[in-house]
Amino acid sequence: MFSHGTLMYDSEIENVVRSLNVKTEKIKSKGIKSIRSRVANISEFMEEKLSMDELKAHILKHVFEVEKVEDVPQYVLTDEDWDNIHELSKERYQQWEWNFGKSPKFNIQHTHKFDSGLVDVRLDVHKGIIEQCTIYGDFFGVGDVSELEEKLKGVRYERSAMDEALSDLNVSHYLGKISKEDLLGLIY
């Protein structure tokens, strides 16, 4: 079993909240409503403040139900363990399906003012697949931009997949002097 979490003991909460605030150019996840309401320091709930080492020892003793931290059982990973860990990482955790294919629905909006015009790209992505693509701007392409948008629908939200999906299109035909590399750099 694998579990991950963060225990903040004595962080500067306002700095944490500021760093977690999503700007309009970044991913807006529908999974988080209010960051500040979900963030607190453990020290806020303690009568007596502990050092970081004391807190770690206290948690270990509690989890392992021992009186002294020295009694916490330890396991030293063998070379075979490390080989198995690296193999599992390669086969499962370094794969697109694990990292993006199970991700919740999210929206992306990226805007950039190029020399030849403003481009505003908006994507709806679910389980790592682009479900909707809309491109706005004041660029001067001659092609119908909806053809470009359609090419990105159903494509994995990864640079190489989007590059391949657009490989048979002249992006500049749709976006003026804005190249495919410019567009991919904006989207991803």
Side-chain angles (χ1 to χ4, degrees):
M1 183 174 137
F2 177 79
S3 180
H4 171 75
T6 300
L7 298 174
M8 293 193 312
Y9 181 62
D10 194 23
S11 301
E12 294 181 20
I13 293 294
E14 292 312 313
N15 289 341
V16 172
V17 171
R18 242 189 335 273
S19 70
L20 295 175
N21 279 341
V22 179
K23 295 184 175 145
T24 55
E25 298 86 22
K26 300 216 178 203
I27 296 173
K28 293 180 183 175
S29 173
K30 293 183 178 178
I32 298 175
K33 302 281 188 250
S34 168
I35 294 189
R36 179 60 184 118
S37 66
R38 299 179 61 176
V39 177
N41 280 312
I42 293 171
S43 62
E44 294 174 35
F45 302 96
M46 299 179 70
E47 290 179 22
E48 183 181 326
K49 197 167 181 176
L50 303 174
S51 72
M52 188 59 68
D53 287 337
E54 290 170 328
L55 176 66
K56 289 178 192 177
H58 182 77
I59 291 171
L60 284 170
K61 290 188 292 186
H62 180 76
V63 168
F64 289 97
E65 298 175 337
V66 296
E67 293 294 321
K68 298 182 294 185
V69 75
E70 295 80 20
D71 294 334
V72 171
Q74 292 187 24
Y75 178 84
V76 178
L77 296 171
T78 66
D79 289 341
E80 183 181 354
D81 291 331
W82 282 112
D83 290 342
N84 291 334
I85 289 167
H86 292 298
E87 186 63 28
L88 177 62
S89 174
K90 182 177 153 190
E91 290 178 4
R92 176 182 256 184
Y93 302 116
Q94 294 178 33
Q95 300 300 315
W96 181 89
E97 289 79 8
W98 176 264
N99 290 294
F100 300 102
K102 297 177 183 181
S103 63
K105 191 170 192 164
F106 60 91
N107 309 91
I108 296 172
Q109 179 182 354
H110 293 288
T111 305
H112 184 72
K113 175 76 169 109
F114 295 94
D115 290 341
S116 57
L118 179 81
V119 178
D120 178 356
V121 179
R122 299 173 189 200
L123 303 175
D124 292 335
V125 182
H126 184 68
K127 294 192 175 181
I129 305 295
I130 299 169
E131 291 184 336
Q132 184 66 37
C133 174
T134 309
I135 301 173
Y136 301 100
D138 62 1
F139 43 83
F140 293 103
V142 292
D144 183 354
V145 76
S146 66
E147 294 174 23
L148 184 60
E149 295 168 342
E150 284 299 317
K151 282 288 193 174
L152 291 171
K153 288 181 187 175
V155 175
R156 284 181 173 188
Y157 181 66
E158 67 179 354
R159 189 180 180 105
S160 61
M162 292 184 286
D163 188 16
E164 185 173 326
L166 299 175
S167 64
D168 63 341
L169 287 184
N170 177 0
V171 172
S172 296
H173 175 73
Y174 301 93
L175 301 179
K177 295 182 181 180
I178 298 164
S179 71
K180 178 172 74 168
E181 284 305 311
D182 290 335
L183 177 63
L184 291 173
L186 174 62
I187 295 174
Y188 199 77

